[in-house]
Amino acid sequence: MLTVENLFVNYGMIKALQGISLVVKEKEIVALIGNNGAGKTTTLKTISGLIKPTSGRIYFQNIDLIKLNPYQITKLGIIHIPEGRKPFANLTVYENLRLGAYFVNKKREIEERLSFVFQIFPRLKERLKQPAGTLSGGELQMLAIGRGLMAKPKLLLLDEPSMGLSPILVEEIFSVIKNINKEGTAILLIEQNAAKALSIAHRAYVLETGKIMLEGKAEELINNESVKKIYLGVG
Amino acid sequence: MNYFFQQLLNGFQLGSVYALISLGYTMIYGIIRLINFAHGDIFMLGAYFGFYAITRFKFNFFIAILFSMVLCMIINVLIEKIAYAPLRKKNVPRINLLITAIGVSFFLENFASLKIIFGPDYLPYPRPFKIITFDFLGLTLSSIQIIVFFITLVLLLILDYLIKRTKIGLAMRAVSYDKETALLMGINVDNIISLTFALGAALAGAGGVLYGICYPQIHPFMGIMPGLKAFVAAVLGGIGVISGAVLGSYIIGMIEVFTAAFISSTFRDAIAFAILIIVLLTRPQGLFGKEEGIKL
Ligand SMILES: Nc1ncnc2c1ncn2[C@@H]1O[C@H](COP(=O)(O)OP(=O)(O)OP(=O)(O)O)[C@@H](O)[C@H]1O
Ligand SMILES: [Mg+2]
């Protein structure tokens, strides 16, 4: 479904990605784990078109993404839920959700998607008229995911959804991610919380300073000695 | 007492024109954090387009305003695409954009002064409709004032509807808050920026024609003073805040008229800039601004 080949990205002199290749297949959850500054966010931003690579190729369902603008990539069904949730704090919860389905015009379709999002996050329904800037951290993450779901994604790019959440909320968010995937959406998941990510992923890549160091089935990586040591904090 | 209220009406008239210019300043600042110093010159172009629409093409007054608005929109979008967009895409420091805007301003003023364009002379503005005066609660209200108030009100209501109630307006608000995330929503941010330049120009163009019928003389440098005062009004209201720009404009218009009427007309220009300095020193975010205030 998504194929990334030999991706190089620089920020000026800084070499953030140095030849990344990865694949996400239909209906898969793929985890991308790695330390701070490894290049995880950069990888997602390059897939969604916010950053243009110096070289490399990205294909989504055989469409070449390199030449497309971010808003065109979004329309293909690749939805990037950014690190730090990035709510439009000046807008209401409803307006944020509406923007998630920006390119949808039919009222009925928007209503349907809204009620789908409310099923998952009933809390958002109670907050509809509230400015997003007044939500709690957990509610903001619900809004970020809900806003992404409004677009009916085919592939969801999730950047650290569990960051800064209480353990109970982390559980809830991860079970939501699992359910979204069960309904057929492929997911590329970035996480600091490697143990959690590996527990729901089918496959995973380990990123270290701009390069893929390891890849494989999630259950194999959980038992890999170096992964255990560095990312899972055991052994 | 009567004189006082009469001046109030005059202040309202001047404030209306400032509001139409000021909105463009504030919207463009809101969307790309640029103080578009060429905006007063769009207002000047608007006055000329209205002039030719009425004198040369014999358009009806309202059609002339529409004509001027449309031409100003096209020109401002072209300016944005040619002068600012390439710089924006290179992520240059904001000061570079500002200097470019000043360059565009000089260009427009001097280009308009060319004999083959509008020429350097003062031109008397046509009076496209009969000037009738009405007695209104003991005050004299002219048909010009009524038309200025009416058109300003209609344009403000349309703008308010567009920004608060339409999908495009929602996109404008999203883009002004966070461009990168707006792109992730599938918003064509470049188009929204162009649209903002177009809207600002349409209002300034209408303002130019209204200014022409109120203060009936136009010339290629006529945009400088009203442009600067509308900028002061936008800062006073809190740059980036739409309602603030409107209120700031009426305040500046009133203060200017009252200064001229009750103190001395030699101070009428100075007062606006005194206000600018006071605002920047004491409340740089303006009356209604929430953010840290204006940044060059
Ligand atoms: N806009 C930028 N300008 C310059 N360097 C940047 C920029 N964004 C990221 N970098 C650098 O690129 C490298 C990769 O950053 P990236 O944000 O992709 O890491 P990450 O894996 O997402 O880290 P984290 O887990 O902390 O979010 C880092 O060394 C970072 O300092
Ligand atoms: Mg990151």
Side-chain angles (χ1 to χ4, degrees), chain A residues 71 74 89 95 98 102 105, chain B residues 167 173 177 180 184 188:
Chain A
Y71 63 87
T74 298
E95 287 171 327
R98 175 70 187 86
Y102 181 70
N105 284 320
Chain B
K167 192 173 103 165
R173 287 181 285 147
Y177 188 79
E180 195 169 88
L184 294 181
N188 184 337

Side-chain angles (χ1 to χ4, degrees), chain A residues 35-42 83 159-160 163 190 192:
Chain A
N35 285 326
N36 291 114
K40 304 179 300 290
T41 298
T42 304
E83 189 175 8
D159 198 339
E160 304 211 21
M163 193 176 28
I190 289 185
Q192 293 282 344

Side-chain angles (χ1 to χ4, degrees), chain A residues 10-198:
Chain A
N10 299 339
Y11 294 107
M13 299 293 287
I14 299 166
K15 291 181 175 147
L17 299 186
Q18 307 177 46
I20 301 254
S21 300
L22 60 83
V23 176
V24 180
K25 295 179 208 140
E26 304 267 350
K27 304 196 168 137
E28 245 187 344
I29 299 182
V30 175
L32 187 58
I33 58 179
N35 285 326
N36 291 114
K40 304 179 300 290
T41 298
T42 304
T43 306
L44 284 206
K45 283 188 171 180
T46 313
I47 295 169
S48 60
L50 292 176
I51 297 173
K52 289 293 160 199
T54 46
S55 68
R57 317 205 138 272
I58 306 174
Y59 292 100
F60 177 71
Q61 298 178 329
N62 296 323
I63 301 166
D64 182 358
L65 298 190
I66 298 289
K67 292 186 204 78
L68 300 185
N69 287 312
Y71 63 87
Q72 294 166 320
I73 293 174
T74 298
K75 273 182 206 160
L76 295 177
I78 301 180
I79 300 303
H80 180 171
I81 299 179
E83 189 175 8
R85 292 105 195 209
K86 298 293 166 70
F88 295 102
N90 58 330
L91 306 179
T92 64
V93 169
Y94 171 78
E95 287 171 327
N96 270 272
L97 292 172
R98 175 70 187 86
L99 282 169
Y102 181 70
F103 43 81
V104 180
N105 284 320
K106 287 197 195 95
K107 256 219 168 89
R108 236 195 55 221
E109 214 173 328
I110 293 166
E111 294 292 328
E112 272 172 27
R113 294 184 190 193
L114 269 177
S115 58
F116 175 67
V117 169
F118 294 152
Q119 260 172 33
I120 301 173
F121 300 119
R123 192 99 59 96
L124 290 180
K125 194 171 184 176
E126 301 158 21
R127 302 275 188 278
L128 267 189
K129 296 222 167 75
Q130 211 167 307
T134 62
L135 297 184
S136 74
E139 289 163 349
L140 283 178
Q141 189 59 59
M142 296 176 192
L143 178 60
I145 296 176
R147 190 175 65 181
L149 293 177
M150 288 295 291
K152 262 196 189 163
K154 291 181 187 146
L155 169 64
L156 206 53
L157 311 174
L158 267 167
D159 198 339
E160 304 211 21
S162 77
M163 193 176 28
L165 300 185
S166 69
I168 300 171
L169 261 180
V170 172
E171 288 300 324
E172 189 183 331
I173 294 289
F174 271 93
S175 84
V176 165
I177 294 170
K178 233 172 147 173
N179 284 334
I180 295 169
N181 172 254
K182 278 206 189 106
E183 309 224 347
T185 306
I187 293 172
L188 179 55
L189 172 67
I190 289 185
E191 263 301 334
Q192 293 282 344
N193 191 339
K196 268 266 141 234
L198 291 175

Side-chain angles (χ1 to χ4, degrees), chain B residues 228-294:
Chain B
L228 285 174
K229 287 173 185 163
F231 164 66
V232 175
V235 174
L236 173 63
I239 192 126
V241 184
I242 297 220
S243 50
V246 176
L247 213 81
S249 296
Y250 284 110
I251 294 174
I252 295 288
M254 294 290 175
I255 291 179
E256 185 178 331
V257 165
F258 277 94
T259 303
F262 293 103
I263 303 173
S264 158
S265 64
T266 51
F267 288 137
R268 70 178 308 158
D269 291 340
I271 190 77
F273 302 109
I275 292 171
L276 177 66
I277 293 166
I278 293 168
V279 171
L280 290 180
L281 287 177
T282 60
R283 199 180 155 82
Q285 74 274 38
L287 295 175
F288 303 100
K290 281 180 227 113
E291 285 175 52
E292 68 285 358
I294 189 165

